[in-house]
Amino acid sequence: MAVDYSALKKGGFMRQKQKDVFSMRLKVVGGNITAGQLETISNISRKYGGGHVHLTSRQGVEIPFIKLADIDAVKAELEAGGAAVGVCGPRVRTVTACQGAEICPSGCIDTYPLAAAISERYFGKELPHKFKFGITGCRNNCLKAEENDLGVKGGLTVEWKKDNCILCGVCVKVCRESALSIADELINLDESTCNFCGRCVKSCPTDAWRGEPGYILSCGGTFGNQIAYGLEVLPIIRGGDSFFRAADAAIDFFAKYAKPGERFRPAIDRAGWDVFRNAMEEALDA
Amino acid sequence: MPDYGIDAAVDITSVVCPVTFVKTKVAIEELDDGQILLVRMNDGEPIQNVPRSLKDEGHEILKLIDNKDGTYNLIVRKRESGG
Ligand code: SF4
Ligand code: SF4
Ligand code: SF4
C-alpha cells in the first residue's frame, strides 16, 4: 500500500527519520491543555509511542514514534480522550497565547478566549503557505507577537479620572514612556508617546485611570529561513468584531497575493505595504 | 509636603527584586492596621513593581515623593484586615 505522506502530514502526522514511524502533532489552543488531555497523551505515548513527548517551540505537543499501523487506533483513542490531532503544511497553524489578563497581573487582554475564537475560525484553513497567529497579553510580549504572521498584542487606551486621583505621583513615575506629567494638580497625558502598556492603570492606588482593552496587530512576522519582525500597519483596534475584520482581510490578502509556497511576509513585500495597509484599513472601515 | 504621621520606615535601596518586596512586606506586617509605612526605594525596577504589589495586596498608597537623589519615598497605609 502506498503511503500518502502529505495527507498524513496535513493530519498532523510528521514523518520521522526512522522508517514508518511518525511524530504525531496534537491540536493545542493558546498553550492550554487540560489535565484529562494530558492523561490521554500520557497513555498514548506509553502504549503507542516511545514513552515521551516533545514540546514544540510553539506550544505544541508531539508524540514521537507512532507506528504507521497504529495511526487509526491512536486517532480514535485521542478523540475518545478529549484530545485532537493537529495540522502541518500550508495552512493556519496552532494559535499560541500567553496566559493574559485572566491569570497574569500585567495582562491587558483576555488572551485565551481570543485564541479559542481564532482557532475556531481559522485553524487548518488552507493557504499558500503556513500561517501563524500568536497572542500576547501586554507590552511585555512574553509570547513574542512579532514572530507571527499575525501577532496580537494587548494594550490599554487610558483615560484619567480627575475625581479619583489623589495626586500621589505613582503613575507619572511608572510610565516608562514619560507620557505623563503633573502640573497644577492635573495629570497631562501625551497621547503621541503613550504605548498603551497599561502600567498607569495597574499601579494607580485609587483606580483613577480607566483602561479600555485593545489589540495591536503586527503583520508579516517570520522566523524561519527568512527572519523579519511583523510590522504594525493599523492603530490599536478594539473589540472582537474589528479584530476579525482585520484578520479576515490579512488572510484574504495572503490568499490573493501570495504565490503557492510563499510566506505572508514576502507576499506583502512584493505586493507593496501600501496596498496591504489600504486593504486592512478598508476592511476596518467597511 | 503634608505630614503623614509616619509610624515606621524601611529602606530597600540596598536590595534587589524580589527581596525589595519581601523586605517591604515584612515591614508592613509588623505594623498595626491603618498605620503608615515609609518605604525608601531606588528609581527603576522597584518603582515599577513595589507600589503595584502593595496595591494588589490591598494596602493604600498615599504618595510617592522624589528625594531628588535617585531614590523615592513611598508612603503607604496598612490595610484594615477586618473588612
Ligand atoms: S505578555 Fe504580558 S500578559 Fe502575557 S504573560 Fe507576559 S506579562 Fe503576562
Ligand atoms: S498606558 Fe503606559 S505609556 Fe501610556 S500613559 Fe499609561 S503607563 Fe504611560
Ligand atoms: S497613580 Fe492614580 S492617584 Fe496617583 S497620581 Fe496617578 S492617577 Fe493620581
Side-chain angles (χ1 to χ4, degrees):
Chain A
M1 183 186 83
V3 180
D4 184 349
Y5 287 111
S6 86
L8 284 170
K9 190 174 169 190
K10 175 179 175 184
F13 287 85
M14 322 287 295
R15 193 162 64 88
Q16 286 187 208
K17 211 170 148 180
Q18 296 82 2
K19 191 174 171 4
D20 286 346
V21 289
F22 295 81
S23 188
M24 188 194 57
R25 180 173 287 184
L26 300 175
K27 179 177 177 183
V28 177
V29 179
N32 264 33
I33 306 177
T34 66
Q37 288 168 331
L38 275 177
E39 251 160 1
T40 305
I41 294 166
S42 166
N43 290 338
I44 290 178
S45 159
R46 280 217 184 85
K47 189 166 162 191
Y48 298 103
H52 54 94
V53 300
H54 173 70
L55 302 178
T56 77
S57 63
R58 291 192 75 253
Q59 302 184 328
V61 177
E62 284 185 20
I63 311 177
F65 291 100
I66 302 285
K67 292 188 196 69
L68 184 58
D70 291 334
I71 281 179
D72 290 334
V74 166
K75 277 189 181 166
E77 281 190 35
L78 263 183
E79 204 174 314
V85 197
V87 297
C88 193
R91 44 191 68 82
V92 174
R93 302 290 191 80
T94 298
V95 179
T96 58
C98 75
Q99 295 193 99
E102 192 196 336
I103 304 224
C104 178
S106 300
C108 295
I109 55 166
D110 244 344
T111 50
Y112 187 69
L114 182 64
I118 292 173
S119 196
E120 175 70 25
R121 189 171 175 110
Y122 304 116
F123 184 69
K125 183 182 170 68
E126 310 267 334
L127 288 166
H129 204 327
K130 60 179 112 174
F131 195 93
K132 298 172 181 175
F133 283 93
I135 308 160
T136 202
C138 76
R139 281 268 157 194
N140 289 341
N141 206 13
C142 298
L143 197 104
K144 323 249 174 286
E146 290 83 357
E147 290 179 6
N148 294 274
D149 294 282
L150 198 61
V152 184
K153 186 177 289 174
L156 297 179
T157 312
V158 301
E159 193 190 327
W160 183 55
K161 296 182 291 182
K162 185 173 187 296
D163 291 350
N164 287 17
C165 178
I166 57 165
L167 293 167
C168 72
V170 169
C171 60
V172 176
K173 241 349 263 185
V174 299
C175 175
R176 292 181 183 177
E177 307 308 308
S178 305
L180 302 178
S181 53
I182 298 193
D184 303 327
E185 313 217 322
L186 290 175
I187 304 228
N188 182 52
L189 164 66
D190 178 355
E191 286 180 11
S192 67
T193 48
C194 173
N195 71 1
F196 316 107
C197 74
R199 284 195 167 81
C200 50
V201 178
K202 304 269 180 187
S203 64
C204 174
T206 58
D207 294 330
W209 285 98
R210 209 174 70 85
E212 182 73 30
Y215 308 115
I216 300 161
L217 303 189
S218 53
C219 305
T222 177
F223 265 65
N225 291 297
Q226 186 194 357
I227 293 182
Y229 296 111
L231 301 176
E232 288 172 29
V233 300
L234 294 174
I236 188 166
I237 57 179
R238 296 221 189 122
D241 255 25
S242 303
F243 171 78
F244 280 108
R245 262 187 278 151
D248 279 353
I251 283 190
D252 290 348
F253 187 93
F254 183 39
K256 180 172 169 193
Y257 287 97
K259 299 178 194 161
E262 186 178 51
R263 287 289 297 267
F264 192 30
R265 178 55 169 248
I268 305 175
D269 284 343
R270 207 164 32 73
W273 282 84
D274 290 351
V275 181
F276 177 59
R277 187 193 307 269
N278 284 343
M280 295 291 276
E281 282 170 356
E282 269 171 30
L284 277 185
D285 291 343
Chain B
M1 114 188 190
D3 183 5
Y4 289 99
I6 287 154
D7 296 295
V10 61
D11 190 324
I12 58 167
T13 56
S14 62
V15 292
V16 295
C17 176
V19 182
T20 42
F21 186 58
V22 174
K23 240 184 133 174
T24 308
K25 213 171 137 77
V26 168
I28 209 159
E29 266 161 23
E30 283 171 0
L31 295 182
D32 295 329
D33 290 358
Q35 283 194 311
I36 291 180
L37 179 71
L38 180 153
V39 191
R40 180 167 178 262
M41 64 185 72
N42 286 325
D43 199 354
E45 189 277 332
I47 298 270
Q48 297 283 333
N49 295 320
V50 172
R52 183 163 147 191
S53 303
L54 285 165
K55 175 196 168 189
D56 288 347
E57 301 228 326
H59 304 297
E60 189 187 345
I61 310 286
L62 301 176
K63 190 81 184 167
L64 184 69
I65 299 155
D66 189 346
N67 298 325
K68 309 280 184 199
D69 62 354
T71 71
Y72 288 79
N73 288 348
L74 183 75
I75 316 289
V76 52
R77 191 198 320 263
K78 182 172 179 171
R79 152 187 89 205
E80 312 276 346
S81 49

